[in-house]
Amino acid sequence: MPPHPPLARFLAPHLRSEARTYAELPSLEPVLTELLASARGAWPQVRLDEAVFLRHLAERLPPSADPERTLRAVHVSDLFLACACVQGDTVAQGLLETHFLPKVAAAVARVDASADAASEVCQSLREKLLTSEGGRPPRMADYQGQGPLAAWLRAAAVRMALNLRRSARRQARAEEEALADATLPEGDPELEHLRQRHRADFQAALAEALAALPSRERTVLRLHLVEGLALERIGTLYRTHKSTVSRWLARAREEVLAGTRARLAERLRLSSGELNSLLRDVPAQLDESLSALLASAK
């Protein structure tokens, strides 16, 4: 039985406008029927409305004067599963988990062999692929079916692993900078005077940097530092892995440190050495300072 609604409704906008091309549309019915049967045969557990998939497929077809050839070039079974995942089908998402994410983990291990890297990347990738954010469809909707889904996922995971590694290096540099040896020795009366003089400026800069964090990062900091929730518990609340929560907390601390330093540098016009001296003990006391600020804001 030919797919319903008619193919022209989905494919015509993606074809050239010559009458000859539109005349070919009826001949595509058996091609599309064959492709749909192949996709359903690959994933018999997935129940995806035919019209929904046809629209998803048509929106991802490149303009072509040879629509049959273009259709046959699509990795239709992979696109079928991706479409079901975008629609929120839990069976499809489970199949993605079992059939594809282990290959992603293996690809990440070649970039970063640390024990938690694959778990963290897979969790982050899972969130981006399957979760809408800011009104935008899940990232899985970006898959066009022009290559194997496994290769597309591996490429995305490797990019994410490299970005996370660069982020870790930036954090390390920020911490080294904040902990750098001060030009004024510890216990120097001049240093103590400097700290006392700018205590209010520091508190204001810290509060502003904290307020500038995204809402989720502030909430996670409050849950962990003020309410004492473990990473696993916060992960349960956000339906994510504790390693992701740990990454959120690390990024929040890094942004607060960098934001505080930038605000003090702009306000006080101190030398680099004086600024390092002023901030030298901040990383070790940061959680305590943040806890006090977050508790007072409740």
Side-chain angles (χ1 to χ4, degrees):
M1 179 180 295
H4 185 79
L7 283 176
R9 175 178 175 181
F10 302 105
L11 300 187
H14 300 269
L15 305 176
R16 282 172 28 183
S17 59
E18 287 88 339
R20 180 188 63 78
T21 303
Y22 284 110
E24 293 173 354
L25 282 172
S27 70
L28 296 179
E29 298 284 350
V31 175
L32 197 63
T33 300
E34 175 189 337
L35 294 177
L36 282 167
S38 174
R40 293 195 186 283
W43 311 111
Q45 311 96 313
V46 176
R47 298 290 180 262
L48 178 62
D49 184 80
E50 199 169 79
V52 170
F53 177 62
L54 286 175
R55 186 175 294 107
H56 189 88
L57 168 64
E59 289 171 352
R60 285 152 183 80
L61 288 177
S64 173
D66 189 348
E68 179 175 346
R69 184 175 182 178
T70 300
L71 278 169
R72 290 192 180 280
V74 173
H75 289 254
V76 69
S77 297
D78 286 353
L79 189 63
F80 185 86
L81 184 69
C83 177
C85 287
V86 171
Q87 296 300 314
D89 186 288
T90 56
V91 172
Q93 292 175 359
L95 290 168
L96 178 76
E97 184 84 24
T98 56
H99 286 264
F100 291 93
L101 289 190
K103 300 174 184 177
V104 165
V108 172
R110 291 193 288 270
V111 176
D112 188 337
S114 61
D116 293 334
S119 174
E120 185 174 357
V121 169
C122 285
Q123 179 60 33
S124 298
L125 187 63
R126 187 183 294 111
E127 291 175 6
K128 290 182 180 298
L129 289 174
L130 304 178
T131 305
S132 299
E133 186 173 351
R136 188 187 186 283
R139 292 292 179 88
M140 183 63 85
D142 293 344
Y143 174 63
Q144 304 292 306
Q146 301 305 306
L149 179 58
W152 186 80
L153 291 171
R154 282 197 301 268
V158 167
R159 285 195 299 271
M160 186 174 290
L162 291 172
N163 288 337
L164 288 173
R165 191 164 67 178
R166 283 192 287 267
S167 177
R169 288 174 179 170
R170 285 195 297 270
Q171 180 180 349
R173 284 197 298 269
E175 290 175 354
E176 287 172 4
E177 188 176 54
L179 290 167
D181 289 338
T183 55
L184 295 174
E186 188 173 3
D188 191 303
E190 190 174 344
L191 172 57
E192 293 304 317
H193 173 72
L194 179 72
R195 289 178 172 175
Q196 290 296 328
R197 178 183 176 188
H198 296 301
R199 186 180 300 277
D201 294 305
F202 168 75
Q203 289 295 329
L206 182 67
E208 290 172 10
L210 177 62
L213 286 177
S215 175
R216 184 185 66 187
E217 274 69 15
R218 288 199 309 275
T219 300
V220 170
L221 280 171
R222 179 177 58 77
L223 291 173
H224 186 55
L225 299 179
V226 179
E227 300 186 17
L229 268 63
L231 301 188
E232 292 88 346
R233 175 58 179 154
I234 299 173
T236 299
L237 293 175
Y238 281 91
R239 297 182 180 179
T240 191
H241 193 271
K242 68 175 183 178
S243 63
T244 300
V245 177
S246 177
R247 177 166 50 83
W248 290 347
L249 289 168
R251 183 169 58 202
R253 292 183 179 104
E254 176 186 355
E255 291 179 5
V256 167
L257 282 172
T260 301
R261 183 183 180 88
R263 286 167 172 81
L264 286 174
E266 182 178 354
R267 287 179 179 177
L268 303 181
R269 308 295 181 186
L270 298 175
S271 69
S272 177
E274 289 173 325
L275 194 56
N276 284 340
S277 297
L278 188 61
L279 296 174
R280 182 173 56 191
D281 298 329
V282 170
Q285 302 169 0
L286 183 62
D287 282 0
E288 182 180 348
S289 299
L290 291 176
S291 178
L293 284 171
L294 289 162
S296 65
K298 290 181 66 176

